[in-house]
Amino acid sequence: MFKKEIIGLMSGTSLDGLDIAHVEFVIENTKTRYFLKSSQTIPYPASLYEKLQSAHSLDISELQILDKTIGAFFAEQVNSFISNNKIDKDKIDAIASHGQTILHQPENGFTLQIGCGSTLAYSTGIMVVNDFRTLDVIAGGQGAPLVPLGDFELFSEEAESFLNIGGFCNISYKDEEGIQAFDICPGNLPLNNFANKLGHEFDLNGGIAEQGNLNNELLQKLNSLEFYSKNHPKSLGTEWLEKNFYTNFSKSESPENLLHTVCVHIAQQIIDCLEKNNIKSVLVTGGGAKNKFLMRLISEGYNGGIIIPKNEIIDYKEAIAFAYLGFKYLSNQPNNVISVTGAQRNLCMGVLHKPGY
């Protein structure tokens, strides 16, 4: 039996906060099992949230400062998490940190997640593995999505496909060519953006969107975006939202109507993807799984089975998955899936940071 304990850190593009998952992985008779021992989500302080929202426009020195600031914030939260949950630090083999995506341009050969690994390792006294996406991009891949490896090696008994509705919506499933996974469309990022304009952090249960009206002309424009006609592998970033998505919106349209229309758009894109790929059941996670209006729209148009897991999986599946990527790295095993990302070969991805003592 081979086992390791990893603390997985995930911070998505929707900036909901830092997800922390303490996970034990056990390999017994070639089967890997996971045990989620404790978990927590830490919201970003308002000052950090505002800086992260505008991080893509910072100059190099400002971005370096923010990188170290986020690393220090991660370290502070991990130390508190360990203390509050009475975790024996000596038993933690590593922290696997996704970081915070600031730029994602695989077509230009780079992706950037900040949250300084050296700061995190030094300040916690625990070895850190981070920067999981860069090597895949260098090898010609999209650097995303990376979660499907965990989907099929940890959660395969739950459903035949996996949909995560986070800042963006992504899907993973298997066909005759192996694991397929890609970003489908935007998710909580634009929904949160329009909710913010009404003074809300997010649209609870999709209640505001449900009260809005559909803008058919806008819906047609969104459904006609070039991204949706591209073959996968493909992935989305905040730059795409700014250049291709938000440019379709009229400032005179009410946020309520925009929320309603974008929810319908998201649902239609998800339904189209599920039906086109003959997917019979889907496990739904991420914040969007709690958006009752959005989930109702999907269920009304999708003929297959929708599985909503318990809240700890809805909230922490991606943190568990990145902990698993760290586990694979420490085991010196590939942790990308080339049929998913389009990389030239399987890779053991990540950058190791030792605490120095």
Side-chain angles (χ1 to χ4, degrees):
M1 185 173 69
F2 177 76
K3 67 179 182 178
K4 288 188 179 294
E5 292 188 31
I6 312 288
I7 290 179
L9 304 183
M10 178 67 200
S11 180
T13 50
S14 55
L15 299 177
D16 294 335
L18 175 66
D19 294 336
I20 308 177
H22 173 206
V23 192
E24 181 180 64
F25 296 99
V26 178
I27 299 179
E28 196 167 13
N29 298 325
T30 72
K31 171 72 174 175
T32 302
R33 294 179 295 153
Y34 80 93
F35 302 92
L36 180 60
K37 300 172 81 71
S38 50
S39 54
Q40 186 179 2
T41 297
I42 312 293
Y44 281 113
S47 58
L48 267 186
Y49 179 84
E50 290 170 6
K51 287 178 182 177
L52 286 170
Q53 277 191 313
S54 59
H56 61 282
S57 62
L58 297 178
D59 64 30
I60 292 176
S61 59
E62 291 171 326
L63 194 56
Q64 287 286 340
I65 292 170
L66 185 58
D67 176 48
K68 301 300 183 289
T69 301
I70 296 298
F73 174 76
F74 284 3
E76 180 184 1
Q77 302 313 316
V78 168
N79 285 333
S80 295
F81 177 80
I82 287 172
S83 175
N84 293 339
N85 289 283
K86 298 180 172 55
I87 298 168
D88 184 350
K89 185 185 285 191
D90 291 337
K91 290 185 177 180
I92 302 299
D93 293 284
I95 297 168
S97 177
H98 171 272
Q100 181 64 55
T101 298
I102 302 301
L103 298 168
H104 182 67
Q105 297 180 24
E107 70 278 7
N108 293 322
F110 71 89
T111 182
L112 175 64
Q113 288 74 41
I114 64 170
C116 178
S118 294
T119 298
L120 179 55
Y122 180 81
S123 299
T124 59
I126 301 171
M127 192 161 59
V128 170
V129 184
N130 72 344
D131 194 12
F132 287 98
R133 300 186 187 275
T134 294
L135 190 59
D136 187 89
V137 171
I138 291 170
Q142 290 285 306
L146 299 183
V147 169
L149 183 73
D151 285 342
F152 286 98
E153 295 192 2
L154 301 177
F155 299 98
S156 60
E157 296 177 0
E158 303 284 343
E160 72 171 54
S161 70
F162 304 89
L163 171 66
N164 188 75
I165 307 177
F168 296 97
C169 302
N170 53 70
I171 186 80
S172 61
Y173 61 92
K174 276 186 177 178
D175 62 16
E176 62 278 1
E177 296 178 3
I179 296 175
Q180 307 297 331
F182 48 89
D183 286 341
I184 300 173
C185 62
N188 294 328
L189 268 176
L191 297 180
N192 291 351
N193 183 29
F194 298 132
N196 294 164
K197 295 182 186 304
L198 294 168
H200 301 279
E201 187 177 346
F202 59 93
D203 181 10
L204 181 64
N205 296 324
I208 301 172
E210 189 172 15
Q211 299 303 314
N213 296 313
L214 180 65
N215 182 328
N216 273 299
E217 182 181 353
L218 173 60
L219 180 63
Q220 289 176 12
K221 285 183 180 178
L222 297 179
N223 284 336
S224 299
L225 289 171
E226 182 184 1
F227 178 82
Y228 302 130
S229 62
K230 289 182 176 180
N231 294 324
H232 57 275
K234 59 182 180 178
S235 58
L236 291 167
T238 53
E239 303 96 314
W240 179 87
L241 278 178
E242 297 292 339
K243 293 178 181 177
N244 300 96
F245 194 77
Y246 290 137
T247 52
N248 294 283
F249 296 91
S250 167
K251 292 182 180 179
S252 62
E253 186 72 81
S254 74
E256 293 89 347
N257 292 348
L258 294 178
L259 279 164
H260 185 99
T261 303
V262 172
C263 272
V264 173
H265 169 66
I266 292 169
Q268 288 184 355
Q269 291 300 322
I270 288 172
I271 293 164
D272 181 64
C273 175
L274 294 171
E275 297 289 354
K276 186 165 57 179
N277 292 292
N278 299 312
I279 293 170
K280 301 296 187 258
S281 65
V282 60
L283 181 81
V284 186
T285 57
K290 299 178 180 179
N291 185 322
K292 292 181 180 179
F293 176 61
L294 176 60
M295 292 309 302
R296 193 182 80 221
L297 291 174
I298 296 170
S299 64
E300 287 173 351
Y302 172 51
N303 294 319
I306 295 176
I307 300 160
I308 306 294
K310 52 190 177 182
N311 277 340
E312 69 176 23
I313 302 303
I314 289 177
D315 294 334
Y316 298 105
K317 184 166 78 71
E318 291 208 324
I320 294 168
F322 272 89
Y324 188 57
L325 295 181
F327 172 74
K328 298 286 276 189
Y329 176 92
L330 294 181
S331 306
N332 198 31
Q333 297 179 29
N335 52 10
N336 68 333
V337 181
I338 58 176
S339 63
V340 169
T341 66
Q344 294 164 359
R345 59 189 177 91
N346 291 316
L347 301 161
C348 183
M349 305 181 303
V351 175
L352 184 68
H353 305 263
K354 295 183 178 180
Y357 50 86

